[in-house]
Amino acid sequence: MFRLVMEKNNLCKPLIERILGIKIKSLSYVEAEKSFEAKLKTKGIRLDLFVIDEDGVAYDIEMQMDNSYKQFLGKRSRYYVSLMDNGALKKDEPYSHLRKSYVIFICTFDPFGKGLAKYTFNAICNEDHSLVLDDGVTRVFINTEGDRHKISKELANLIGYISTGKVTDDYTRQLDEEVRELRNDTGKGVSYMTYMQTLMEHENIGFDKGLSQANRETAIIMLQNNEPLNKIAMYSRLTMEQINELAASLHRVH
């Protein structure tokens, strides 16, 4: 659902602006499930949402609902940046032409256990924390369960909507309307489920207890849309026991 909603420029642009506290002229490129292929025998990646703005700045936005591997989010973000930069410069281009990049993880859990709603990371000098390495990379982790008193009202409203579905301003109203429209669009729902099945067959992504991430994501989407359990089992290929466990974990999150 996140990917489908954010494919629309008028919804994606303010999301980035609220999270980063910046203003963007316009977006020139938005692609959900963007693939970056690595060299032979090395790991490729598929980004939830890859965006480039009018100034050539790149943004990777990931929705992270599973906290099983939260200790590896830092290294995961590092690898994402490396493949996003791979081939970005032509043979004779100077390093100054390397574009700025932001990697944003929207987490439904606290990735670092400090209670913050927003964690921003840049490379700083250990000996002098006022000295920031100008490598053009910023990594941001949003914790939807964190303390919202130290962030902007706009970001707090966005996080509140992601966490509870509560509409508090014009932008979250637009998000909610789009989500409701997509949920009511049977054609898009079936198309997305077919796409998820294709991903499962194509990638066979590993997950705990032999489950794939694609299986789990399919089940989560259908649970959130209150689909019948037997239908969820058919599309996700999970057992009823696994679906019930997943439903219970989602209930604890909310």
Side-chain angles (χ1 to χ4, degrees):
M1 185 61 68
F2 169 75
R3 297 161 193 157
L4 288 172
V5 170
M6 287 304 147
E7 283 182 331
K8 292 197 171 184
N9 283 23
N10 66 308
L11 297 177
C12 183
K13 178 175 174 287
L15 176 92
I16 296 172
E17 290 177 331
R18 287 187 177 214
I19 290 175
L20 298 180
I22 62 174
K23 287 295 181 183
I24 300 172
K25 294 177 184 176
S26 64
L27 303 182
S28 61
Y29 180 87
V30 177
E31 182 178 346
E33 295 288 354
K34 171 69 175 177
S35 294
F36 284 88
E37 299 300 329
K39 295 179 180 179
L40 186 64
K41 295 185 179 181
T42 58
K43 184 180 179 67
I45 58 174
R46 175 176 279 110
L47 307 181
D48 280 357
L49 193 69
F50 181 66
V51 180
I52 299 177
D53 70 17
E54 185 182 275
D55 296 321
V57 179
Y59 308 85
D60 164 35
I61 309 170
E62 303 289 321
M63 178 63 76
Q64 190 69 28
M65 300 180 69
D66 176 52
N67 67 356
S68 300
Y69 305 106
K70 67 179 182 180
Q71 67 267 36
F72 303 119
L73 286 180
K75 289 185 177 180
R76 182 175 162 191
S77 67
R78 167 186 164 186
Y79 194 68
Y80 282 14
V81 171
S82 69
L83 286 193
M84 287 165 62
D85 285 343
N86 187 32
L89 293 179
K90 296 179 181 178
K91 185 176 181 179
D92 297 323
E93 275 190 293
Y95 291 114
S96 60
H97 288 186
L98 195 62
R99 64 192 175 200
K100 292 179 63 177
S101 297
Y102 292 89
V103 176
I104 301 168
F105 279 84
I106 302 174
C107 304
T108 58
F109 54 89
D110 191 341
F112 304 108
K114 297 296 184 180
L116 300 177
K118 178 181 177 181
Y119 300 89
T120 303
F121 294 88
N122 296 104
I124 64 171
C125 175
N126 288 339
E127 289 74 22
D128 182 351
H129 289 185
S130 67
L131 182 60
V132 179
L133 184 66
D134 187 19
D135 61 358
V137 177
T138 300
R139 288 176 275 193
V140 177
F141 299 82
I142 297 299
N143 166 26
T144 62
E145 301 301 314
D147 182 0
R148 302 173 199 165
H149 292 94
K150 296 181 180 180
I151 59 176
S152 68
K153 182 179 180 181
E154 290 76 15
L155 179 54
N157 288 345
L158 171 62
I159 291 175
Y161 177 74
I162 294 172
S163 181
T164 67
K166 183 178 180 180
V167 172
T168 50
D169 59 19
D170 186 60
Y171 177 60
T172 53
R173 178 187 57 76
Q174 293 178 52
L175 288 177
D176 193 61
E177 289 176 354
E178 183 65 18
V179 168
R180 291 176 183 276
E181 182 177 338
L182 288 170
R183 283 177 175 170
N184 293 329
D185 190 329
T186 305
K188 287 186 178 180
V190 172
S191 175
Y192 189 71
M193 291 305 165
T194 302
Y195 171 66
M196 292 299 293
Q197 288 298 110
T198 302
L199 277 183
M200 287 187 281
E201 294 169 2
H202 179 67
E203 293 188 351
N204 190 27
I205 303 172
F207 189 68
D208 291 342
K209 299 179 182 179
L211 305 180
S212 72
Q213 182 68 25
N215 289 119
R216 188 174 183 277
E217 289 181 354
T218 299
I220 287 172
I221 292 168
M222 297 185 76
L223 282 167
Q224 291 174 335
N225 283 288
N226 298 316
E227 297 285 357
L229 295 185
N230 61 338
K231 185 177 179 181
I232 297 175
M234 180 179 67
Y235 278 103
S236 69
R237 300 181 182 177
L238 304 185
T239 66
M240 295 301 290
E241 181 181 355
Q242 291 164 341
I243 293 170
N244 285 326
E245 288 178 358
L246 184 57
S249 68
L250 289 176
H251 179 73
R252 287 194 297 270
V253 169
H254 292 291

